[in-house]
Amino acid sequence: MKQTQKILMLLFWSILLQAAVIYLIADVMDIDIGIFSGASREARFLPMTLMILITLALVPLSLRLFKFRIVADDLIRRKEKALQKWGVIRLCMLEFLLIVNTLLYYFFGFESSFGYLAVVVLLTMPFVYPSMTRCINETEPQVEPEESHQEEEEKQEEEEA
């Protein structure tokens, strides 16, 4: 489990480092990468709309990915291998969103919509931080609250009988 956690941690920090490098190149070093900054409002509409829709689809998907039955069963059955596979998929979805939105923010000459989308992705990163505790918890079977409540009622009925 430790090896898988290290791989996911490396990927997590490399995503943030990539975004920081883009920021350093474009903002701090003041290198002009606004290749589409003179684009018309109509030319900005399609990439902006696509990235808004893709971000709105992939952020909740990445946050809920481990709750889907197929993924949850795989995590319980194959533990480390499944955690590495699905953890990398989840982090790569967020990486794609963060890097593309950050680049488009600068490519379109500080277009705020792309900046806000990148910030949304940055705000989701703590929720997928691959700590050892999270890695262990995500590979353990989850007891549903309703099931545990039903089990308690059954035990009480058995004790009464």
Side-chain angles (χ1 to χ4, degrees):
M1 186 65 73
K2 189 104 174 132
Q3 180 72 20
T4 301
Q5 190 257 347
K6 285 182 180 180
I7 291 169
L8 294 175
M9 192 69 79
L10 179 68
L11 181 58
F12 179 86
W13 289 111
S14 70
I15 293 168
L16 297 177
L17 182 64
Q18 291 171 32
V21 167
I22 294 169
Y23 168 75
L24 287 173
I25 289 171
D27 261 355
V28 175
M29 296 172 66
D30 203 25
I31 296 174
D32 185 21
I33 60 172
I35 57 177
F36 303 123
S37 60
S40 68
R41 200 77 171 132
E42 292 80 20
R44 295 172 188 234
F45 177 76
L46 183 62
M48 191 180 311
T49 303
L50 283 175
M51 285 313 297
I52 288 171
L53 293 174
I54 292 169
T55 302
L56 288 176
L58 289 183
V59 166
L61 176 64
S62 67
L63 292 174
R64 297 280 305 163
L65 183 66
F66 287 9
K67 301 293 183 195
F68 294 122
R69 173 139 348 252
I70 293 171
V71 177
D73 291 345
D74 193 28
L75 287 168
I76 292 168
R77 194 170 15 89
R78 295 188 320 133
K79 303 251 184 236
E80 286 185 49
K81 287 187 177 190
L83 179 64
Q84 184 173 343
K85 173 188 170 184
W86 293 109
V88 167
I89 289 172
R90 173 165 63 180
L91 288 173
C92 285
M93 283 191 287
L94 293 174
E95 176 182 25
F96 166 77
L97 294 172
L98 181 61
I99 301 307
V100 170
N101 280 319
T102 303
L103 284 172
L104 289 175
Y105 170 73
Y106 291 112
F107 286 168
F108 280 100
F110 305 103
E111 180 63 47
S112 61
S113 298
F114 296 118
Y116 294 141
L117 293 173
V119 169
V120 167
V121 177
L122 274 174
L123 290 173
T124 64
M125 295 301 282
F127 296 106
V128 297
Y129 180 76
S131 66
M132 183 56 82
T133 305
R134 176 167 284 143
C135 290
I136 291 169
N137 288 342
E138 287 175 339
T139 56
E140 297 295 322
Q142 301 295 321
V143 178
E144 296 293 326
E146 293 177 8
E147 292 176 4
S148 62
H149 183 64
Q150 289 175 352
E151 290 174 5
E152 289 176 14
E153 289 178 0
E154 290 174 2
K155 287 180 183 177
Q156 287 178 353
E157 289 175 6
E158 289 176 3
E159 290 174 0
E160 291 174 3

